[in-house]
Amino acid sequence: MDRTAVGTRLAAGTPKFPGAQYIAGELREGTAEEEFDVVDPADGSLVQRVRLASAEDVDAAVAAARQALPEWSGATPGARSEALSRLSALLAERAGDLAAVESAQTGKPIKLSTEFDVPGTVDNAAFFAGAARNLEGKAAGEYSGDHTSYVRREAVGVVGSIAPWNYPLQMAAWKILPAIAAGNTIVLKPAELTPLTSLMFAQACTDAGIPDGVVNIVTGAGRTAGEHLVSHPGVAMVSFTGSTGVGKRVAELATRTVKRTHLELGGKAPFVVFDDADLDAAVHGAVAASLINSGQDCTAATRAYVQRPLYDAFVAGVAELYGQVRLGNPYHPQTDLGPLVSHTQRDRVAGFVDRARAAGAVIVTGGEAPETGHDGTDLRPGAYYRPTLITGVGQDAEVVQSEIFGPVLVVLPFDSDDEGLRLANDTPYGLAASAWTRDVHRSLRATRDLQAGCVWINDHIPIISEMPHGGYKSSGYGKDMSQYSLDEYTQVKHVMYDTTAVVRKDWHRTIFGDR
Ligand code: NAD
């Protein structure tokens, strides 16, 4: 695969990471028996072979995080804020390298890494630099009449975080930044497929002056290193982003040691188009929101419900635009859609489509792997899949109910507003949803009735550092980003001072003596 389009250090073939564990401020080799190949899904070539983390590596990372905790949690908010500001500036300086490595390990188009993943991460760091100084609580008060009460908002301790492969850099940022802004220290386990930009992020933390041990990365397998981290008695809180199935297992393990949990899980976002919507805007929105990151986005539009009068035109419009999307080499600056993250993921997506086809669904367009890219690249060695539009299925079809995590959109018609909203809510998930209408009453009703942690009106996908991201229902609980995430990563202590200096206090009579 020609990576020279972005002229990176990767393209020059320089060695990148002398180890995939970042513990106490330095990169180390893992000590597990197993090695893991980080592969470029654009052509199957090796990006980096890493030795995975053993249980001992996880222990070492937790020990480093525990050692760093008193100093970091005791630092002034101003000092933490300054370090995060320096981090934001360093990440911006390293934007080119970060984007290139992110594209190499995930296959995402360089356009997306450069214009979305990296700037989003830089902005998040800048946001948490400010938020670190704005931890709030209730005002002190004489609530009992005899005492002054106030709250202290304190760090929880060592956070054990586990992240997925779809947005590795942003997930590292979403996990690490609020945790350390609030004074915690952290051990993050990225997905084995995509550890490299998490390591670069941790290195940038050290270079920004964040003390050794505050941010640690262990690159290990979920069943071993992941479970060891989640069960570790030295970890106070678990923050997990990934599939609902693994999230349940993580919650189960964390419960055994009474850890606080924060779970950001799967999604199956509905995209509801009412009959007064701007059809062209809805069609463009559906194409972008279903294909972003090759559909490997927990909030991607996956089920479009279109009110009957617009249904045929919507399907025709999306099919036409899907045909214009430029599929190819992710390092080509004009590529819109790259491969999926791995051949395994591509085959999983193809399996969903093949089963739908066999059950009688209409594959309006796509439903196969492409051979040649828009730039003439041979795509056969890569994990590519064409944008796929499916109709002719019922609400209970597998492709409507299950998370596919690929460039696949299913469209279903509806008649009444009640029906459209009911169908939109009819899956176990509740991460995100959108409604398309020009009617203020319909839009207000949709924002009230759609059961999801985020509802967009006349758009679908944008996120912003100031606003919370997190699920309802089986999409989990807790919030990433925004001031709300600081609630996850802090605990509130009630402090109560006697203000009377009375020896025999009135309430003592409940234990001894009379009034
Ligand atoms: P996954 O659940 O397979 O893996 C996520 C992480 O968990 C990986 O680091 C993996 O190594 C680890 N893991 C696996 N088994 C484990 C175990 N038994 N114990 C501890 N850790 C374990 O998910 P994925 O395939 O990497 O990512 C895709 C999923 O992530 C999708 O379901 C997507 O919706 C979800 N996701 C959700 C959000 C959100 O904000 N809600 C964001 C991004 C991705």
Side-chain angles (χ1 to χ4, degrees), residues 162-165 189 192 227 241-243 264-266 298 403 469:
I162 297 194
W165 44 253
K189 192 200 86 59
E192 310 86 294
E227 296 207 359
T241 297
S243 60
E264 296 284 356
L265 308 178
C298 49
E403 188 178 36
H469 168 91

Side-chain angles (χ1 to χ4, degrees), residues 162-166 171 174 189-192 220-223 226-227 230 240-244 246 249-250 253 264-267 298 403 405 431 469 475 480:
I162 297 194
W165 44 253
N166 60 337
M171 291 302 108
W174 288 16
K189 192 200 86 59
E192 310 86 294
R223 292 307 291 256
E227 296 207 359
V230 170
F240 172 84
T241 297
S243 60
T244 298
V246 176
R249 170 81 181 143
V250 163
L253 290 172
E264 296 284 356
L265 308 178
C298 49
E403 188 178 36
F405 232 51
L431 190 58
H469 168 91
S475 292
D480 284 324

Side-chain angles (χ1 to χ4, degrees), residues 177-192:
L177 290 167
I180 68 172
N184 303 278
T185 58
I186 187 165
V187 178
L188 170 82
K189 192 200 86 59
E192 310 86 294

